[in-house]
Amino acid sequence: MTTGTFLATLRWRVSTRVPQRTIPARTIYLSPTCQQRKQDDGLLSMGANPPKPASATGSSHSNGVKLRERQFNDLVQFVTDRTGRKRVNIRGQVRQSAWLRLFQLARKQEQLELVSEMFPRWRDTGKSFRPVHAEMFARRCEELECPLLALKVFGDHTKYGFGLNSLPAGRQLLHSLYRKFPLETTMTAASLFGIYGLPAVGSDFASCAMLYAACVRSRDPHAQVVANSLKGQLTKQIVQTEEVKEPKDRLLRAQHHMKPTLWLAQAIRQIKIAHREQGLPSTSFLGVWNADKQSRKPRLWQTTSQAPLSDGIAAELVESPS
């Protein structure tokens, strides 16, 4: 093959080759937000309009409230149909935990009142409430700011059949009342300790401190008589009990088992303020907290068999005008 023939053949092959397919450029969609950011020449521009999650959060919260409301109403109906002398559903049974669930689902005072009206049905079924129920009910009443409801229920066992059969429940009841309500109300709660066979108020450190704080803040002369009778018992508790420091960590303070320690520290501060404001004798007896004792295992919530608060003084104080 001559050179001329080879060049002619090469030109023919090149001219007859299938042309390569051209891939068009892909168009990327830019949302208005991205276009605005591009115009502002910055990914973190303040001119951008990011989506607002507030509406979604609000909607989620609203749905959660509705779900909780529906669960509460359904459980109320479930318990009502299966308790009482004349039960609608005689086959089903209600567990003890159903009451705890009702206390937890309640979001306002009216719902707790509705639940409390169901208490007699439980007794009519032949069952009784346990200490954990009293503790949870007193706690929820304080959290929903209706401690007078707890006092009403615990104070009328004939109607409700719901007893204050737990010292932690009694302590919670005192804490919910002694700072915000008249002394007579706190004294009524303290009198329930003896009615239900709980240890005397003076034998429980936190309860004794809270009741003493309520008494010294009152200007009623009868209150000072009760305070004087409690002061000796409070002094014994201070001397015999090893000091427990108030926790500072927020997570630790939020735990419910730490509440009695916090309430005790709070009550002691209230006592010091009341003594100072009303010109009462020095609170030096609070400063000898186990100062002359050897280190021992804390027994902050161990009860002792000390003389209970005089019922005569308590009754006189309750009946006296504020």
Side-chain angles (χ1 to χ4, degrees):
M1 179 183 295
T2 63
T3 303
T5 303
F6 172 77
L7 293 176
T9 303
L10 181 61
R11 284 196 298 271
W12 178 81
R13 290 181 177 180
V14 171
S15 62
T16 57
R17 180 177 296 179
V18 179
Q20 296 181 352
R21 182 171 54 183
T22 303
I23 301 176
R26 182 179 179 183
T27 302
I28 300 178
Y29 171 76
L30 296 178
S31 66
T33 300
C34 294
Q35 293 177 5
Q36 181 66 33
R37 288 179 175 177
K38 184 176 181 180
Q39 293 175 2
D40 293 337
D41 193 24
L43 293 176
L44 301 178
S45 171
M46 297 301 295
N49 297 316
K52 299 180 180 181
S55 59
T57 303
S59 176
S60 176
H61 175 72
S62 177
N63 293 336
V65 171
K66 293 179 180 179
L67 175 61
R68 184 171 179 175
E69 190 87 12
R70 184 170 65 253
Q71 290 177 343
F72 175 81
N73 294 331
D74 291 345
L75 188 53
V76 166
Q77 189 64 46
F78 179 87
V79 174
T80 302
D81 291 345
R82 292 162 175 80
T83 56
R85 296 178 180 177
K86 297 182 180 180
R87 290 177 286 177
V88 176
N89 190 328
I90 60 176
R91 297 181 179 179
Q93 293 186 355
V94 178
R95 296 184 177 181
Q96 295 277 356
S97 58
W99 295 102
L100 300 178
R101 182 61 175 163
L102 282 173
F103 298 154
Q104 294 171 340
L105 289 174
R107 297 180 53 253
K108 48 190 176 181
Q109 176 178 346
E110 292 75 14
Q111 291 178 326
L112 277 181
E113 290 176 346
L114 175 62
V115 175
S116 66
E117 294 300 324
M118 298 164 54
F119 289 164
R121 303 181 64 87
W122 192 243
R123 178 183 55 190
D124 294 340
T125 309
K127 298 183 180 180
S128 58
F129 291 99
R130 300 174 180 175
V132 65
H133 295 114
E135 295 167 11
M136 179 62 74
F137 183 68
R139 176 179 175 182
R140 291 298 291 152
C141 283
E142 180 171 9
E143 292 173 349
L144 297 181
E145 300 181 353
C146 53
L148 293 181
L149 173 62
L151 183 62
K152 173 185 174 183
V153 171
F154 290 129
D156 194 351
H157 190 271
T158 303
K159 175 181 178 180
Y160 296 99
F162 194 88
L164 188 67
N165 51 6
S166 165
L167 178 59
R171 191 185 297 132
Q172 181 99 45
L173 182 62
L174 282 179
H175 177 262
S176 65
L177 296 170
Y178 88 99
R179 290 179 302 165
K180 301 179 180 180
F181 293 89
L183 177 62
E184 291 80 358
T185 306
T186 306
M187 290 300 303
T188 301
S191 66
L192 295 178
F193 280 57
I195 295 176
Y196 284 102
L198 298 179
V201 175
S203 65
D204 180 67
F205 201 171
S207 299
C208 184
M210 289 187 288
L211 184 58
Y212 181 82
C215 290
V216 296
R217 288 189 314 175
S218 176
R219 298 186 181 277
D220 191 312
H222 297 291
Q224 301 308 316
V225 175
V226 179
N228 291 333
S229 66
L230 287 172
K231 183 177 179 180
Q233 300 180 55
L234 183 60
T235 303
K236 291 180 180 179
Q237 292 284 350
I238 291 174
V239 173
Q240 296 175 359
T241 306
E242 184 174 352
E243 181 177 6
V244 178
K245 295 184 178 180
E246 182 179 0
K248 302 299 182 182
D249 183 73
R250 295 182 60 183
L251 295 178
L252 185 59
R253 292 173 65 90
Q255 297 179 17
H256 190 68
H257 74 274
M258 292 300 303
K259 295 302 182 181
T261 302
L262 301 178
W263 298 344
L264 173 61
Q266 184 183 61
I268 289 179
R269 286 194 294 267
Q270 294 278 339
I271 292 171
K272 292 180 179 179
I273 294 174
H275 272 254
R276 183 170 60 251
E277 291 180 348
Q278 300 194 27
L280 297 175
S282 172
T283 56
S284 58
F285 68 97
L286 296 175
V288 298
W289 194 346
N290 207 37
D292 57 346
K293 297 290 181 181
Q294 298 294 329
S295 177
R296 66 177 68 179
K297 183 178 180 180
R299 59 170 197 84
L300 186 58
W301 313 122
Q302 180 180 346
T303 59
T304 59
S305 56
Q306 296 183 6
L309 183 64
S310 172
D311 293 338
I313 296 178
E316 185 179 9
L317 180 59
V318 171
E319 296 173 357
S320 63
S322 56

